[in-house]
Amino acid sequence: MKLFVQIPCLDEAGTLPLVLAAIPREVAGFESVEVLVVDDGSTDGTAEVARRLGVHHVLRHTSTMGLARSFRDGVDYALAHGADVVVNTDGDNQYPSERIGDLVAPILAGEADIVVADRQTATIAHFSPFKKRMQRLGSRVVSAAAGTSLPDAASGFRAYSRGALLRLNVVTEFSYTMETIIQAGNKRLRITSLPISTNPKTRESRLFSNIWQHMGRSGRAILRSWIMFRPHLVFLTLAALFFVAAAVPAVRFLVYLARGDAGGHVQSLVFAGAMLVGALLCLALLVIADLLRTNRTLVEETLERVKAIQYGARPASHAVVPDAVPHDVHGAVPHDLRDGVPDAVPDTVPGAVPDDQDAPA
């Protein structure tokens, strides 16, 4: 059994040593623990700090590509190198890395496919009351969409089994946290949570500039996931609202018509007709969304088989010495020097350079 701990980083040279120092090098149930740093276009030498501190697995984006892409590239790399469980933590030292053993325990016991740390946001001092309420509301909405119950759906400290990662597909460009939970719930993966206490705050979030931007982006991601996985609930609800909005003025017009005074109330009939058209459009969109969901299910089943072939063919014993970046990890390149021979940079990885080589101007 091999455990990979991946750390997405963006200019984390100052806090990365704290994170690495707290990561256990031995975890019960695993033969080895590997650390993977994903440098998302840092300009402060994060990759060099990781290498100096003994990290053998480093992916570096030549430009900032976002947290979701960093997570996806890290997962691809870890699976390609024999990971049985992948733990994701942050490079700002927000999460207690010493709890990794507790985080992976439910997966080792066969009780869960995904474990999400519960930061107990109500107890975090630097969270404003408004942010705490929004975190609770967001977690409830995500839990409803996923058909599960998670107190902290936005937490980035989580563990995934190999089987779960083979079934999940990250397509968002903002943050993977909401999307993977909703996907996992709708794919009947087992999800549980682990209460933790976070470390003191080291910096402001770089994922968003203010709470309103975060709410907007998270809301779009959640709405897209609802439409993707539960189109019947979304579009039938909208159709029902439009139908009610059509029925009220229509009944009003009919009442006046029965009284012989309908001439001055034609606008009610026009409004009712417009709302009825909206209801019919929602039903048409439901049919289209349902067909797309069927097609997406078939595509994802194909992707799952492709991943199983691609990642399952490599024995775990080969994970220590990577030979090349997997072809589907675009824009990232490993930083490993083994026996004095640098890893190859495949032609299919555009825009990527080894960490010891400057990008072209």
Side-chain angles (χ1 to χ4, degrees), residues 97-121:
S97 298
E98 62 273 9
R99 298 291 306 276
I100 287 177
D102 298 327
L103 195 68
V104 300
I107 295 178
L108 287 175
E111 299 171 355
D113 301 299
I114 300 173
V115 183
V116 180
D118 173 16
R119 295 171 294 175
Q120 305 180 83
T121 53

Side-chain angles (χ1 to χ4, degrees), residues 75-90:
V75 165
D76 286 342
Y77 183 95
L79 290 176
H81 292 86
D84 296 291
V85 177
V86 175
V87 169
N88 189 89
T89 188
D90 285 351

Side-chain angles (χ1 to χ4, degrees), residues 48 55 59 73 88 152-153 166 168 176 184 206 225 227 279 290:
E48 288 72 17
V55 177
L59 289 177
D73 286 351
N88 189 89
D152 188 11
L166 290 176
L168 297 176
Y176 66 92
R206 296 194 182 103
S225 297
I227 294 174
D290 188 60

Side-chain angles (χ1 to χ4, degrees), residues 4 13 40 43 66 87 101 110 122 136 153 165 192 194 198 204 221 233 249 251 268 289 319 326:
F4 259 77
D40 190 26
T43 58
V87 169
R136 287 196 299 270
L165 291 173
T192 188
L194 172 74
T198 58
E204 296 295 333
L233 179 61
V251 170
S268 295

Side-chain angles (χ1 to χ4, degrees), residues 12 20 36 56 67 82 128 130 133 155 200 207 216 222 227 258 262 264 267 280 329 347 361:
E12 306 289 7
L20 295 175
L36 166 63
H56 298 299
L67 179 59
S128 67
F130 178 74
R133 288 194 294 270
S155 173
L207 188 60
I222 293 172
I227 294 174
Q267 64 272 20
L280 294 175
V329 181
D347 293 335

Side-chain angles (χ1 to χ4, degrees), residues 267-298:
Q267 64 272 20
S268 295
L269 189 61
V270 173
F271 182 79
M275 293 299 100
L276 185 60
V277 170
L280 294 175
L281 285 176
C282 288
L283 294 177
L285 289 174
L286 172 60
V287 173
I288 296 173
D290 188 60
L291 293 174
L292 290 175
R293 185 177 66 167
T294 301
N295 183 68
R296 189 195 67 254
T297 300
L298 295 174

Side-chain angles (χ1 to χ4, degrees), residues 70-269:
S70 297
F71 172 80
R72 188 177 70 187
D73 286 351
V75 165
D76 286 342
Y77 183 95
L79 290 176
H81 292 86
D84 296 291
V85 177
V86 175
V87 169
N88 189 89
T89 188
D90 285 351
D92 61 357
N93 199 40
Q94 175 186 178
Y95 303 113
S97 298
E98 62 273 9
R99 298 291 306 276
I100 287 177
D102 298 327
L103 195 68
V104 300
I107 295 178
L108 287 175
E111 299 171 355
D113 301 299
I114 300 173
V115 183
V116 180
D118 173 16
R119 295 171 294 175
Q120 305 180 83
T121 53
T123 65
I124 299 179
H126 65 268
F127 275 20
S128 67
F130 178 74
K131 186 173 182 178
K132 292 176 181 179
R133 288 194 294 270
M134 290 300 99
Q135 289 281 358
R136 287 196 299 270
L137 177 61
S139 294
R140 289 173 182 171
V141 173
V142 172
S143 296
T148 185
S149 178
L150 286 176
D152 188 11
S155 173
F157 189 39
R158 48 181 69 185
Y160 297 86
S161 69
R162 183 182 183 88
L165 291 173
L166 290 176
R167 299 190 63 188
L168 297 176
N169 300 289
V170 179
V171 296
T172 183
E173 296 181 358
F174 173 54
S175 175
Y176 66 92
T177 54
M178 307 290 188
E179 182 180 9
T180 53
I181 290 300
I182 296 175
Q183 278 193 40
N186 283 276
K187 293 179 179 180
R188 301 298 186 266
L189 296 176
R190 298 166 299 171
I191 312 171
T192 188
S193 62
L194 172 74
I196 63 167
S197 296
T198 58
N199 294 324
K201 182 179 179 180
T202 58
R203 60 163 175 79
E204 296 295 333
S205 174
R206 296 194 182 103
L207 188 60
F208 52 89
S209 57
N210 57 68
I211 185 64
W212 299 106
Q213 184 188 54
H214 176 62
M215 289 173 57
R217 291 182 176 181
S218 297
R220 289 196 298 270
I222 293 172
L223 179 60
R224 183 172 59 248
S225 297
W226 271 88
I227 294 174
M228 185 181 300
F229 291 100
R230 302 200 171 189
H232 289 82
L233 179 61
V234 173
F235 289 111
L236 284 178
T237 299
L238 289 175
L241 291 175
F242 276 111
F243 184 78
V244 170
V248 172
V251 170
R252 179 174 181 271
F253 178 80
L254 291 176
V255 170
Y256 281 108
L257 180 64
R259 294 177 179 178
D261 188 25
H265 302 281
V266 178
Q267 64 272 20
S268 295
L269 189 61

